[in-house]
Amino acid sequence: MKNLPKFAALSLVLLSTSTLAATGTTYKSPYCGCCKDWVKHMEDNGFDMVSEDHVNMDPIKVKFGIKPQLASCHTTVIDGYVFEGHIPASDVKSFLEKKPKLAGLSVPGMPMGSPGMEYGNQKDAYNVVAFSHTGMTMVYNKHN
């Protein structure tokens, strides 16, 4: 029983280090409300987010290798990976846990029902697309 306080303290340290939130920087237009809603979705799911407003997002897309077919309204960088658009936090978390040799994930466009794009009961089917540094793509997950 004398070791119980030490065990409890160690358990708390291990628990707290395993649940540390990743910090992400979201590059977005200052005029886009859905981007703010997506950032809130990420924060609500344990991510520490910083937003940086840009009137012209094109240089950001080019800098992070976002091809036009993968583009959405905002671009986020977390742990060196690029996350484009309205990706569910659960997909971002699973991707970061796997640490694949890929550039990142994208939800091209702005599908209704994706995080930050909620509008009543309207839900479009959409894919979360993984992409490589060389431009190769594959479906990472399907939603709705």
Side-chain angles (χ1 to χ4, degrees):
M1 284 303 235
K2 290 182 181 181
N3 290 332
L4 188 57
K6 290 179 185 176
F7 177 75
L10 179 61
S11 295
L12 285 175
V13 169
L14 291 174
L15 180 62
S16 65
T17 56
S18 66
T19 58
L20 288 176
T23 299
T25 301
T26 298
Y27 305 90
K28 64 180 193 58
S29 166
Y31 313 110
C32 187
C34 67
C35 296
K36 292 176 189 171
D37 291 343
W38 183 81
V39 168
K40 180 163 179 4
H41 163 76
M42 293 295 285
E43 291 170 340
D44 289 347
N45 283 277
F47 287 88
D48 292 326
M49 302 299 290
V50 175
S51 293
E52 195 175 293
D53 289 342
H54 293 267
V55 175
N56 182 1
M57 288 294 296
D58 290 339
I60 300 295
K61 307 292 182 197
V62 170
K63 176 181 177 179
F64 292 112
I66 302 299
K67 306 287 185 217
Q69 65 271 23
L70 297 175
S72 183
C73 53
H74 58 270
T75 303
T76 300
V77 178
I78 303 173
D79 292 346
Y81 291 106
V82 179
F83 299 96
E84 178 72 5
H86 296 269
I87 305 163
S90 58
D91 288 334
V92 175
K93 284 180 183 180
S94 71
F95 187 88
L96 290 172
E97 287 170 4
K98 294 174 184 171
K99 299 188 184 312
K101 292 182 180 180
L102 294 168
L105 297 176
S106 172
V107 170
M110 299 166 67
M112 295 302 293
S114 60
M117 290 296 297
E118 296 91 352
Y119 185 75
N121 291 329
Q122 294 183 21
K123 291 187 179 192
D124 296 335
Y126 66 94
N127 293 331
V128 175
V129 179
F131 59 96
S132 72
H133 295 283
T134 60
M136 292 177 35
T137 62
M138 62 176 260
V139 173
Y140 184 79
N141 203 357
K142 296 180 179 205
H143 293 275
N144 298 336

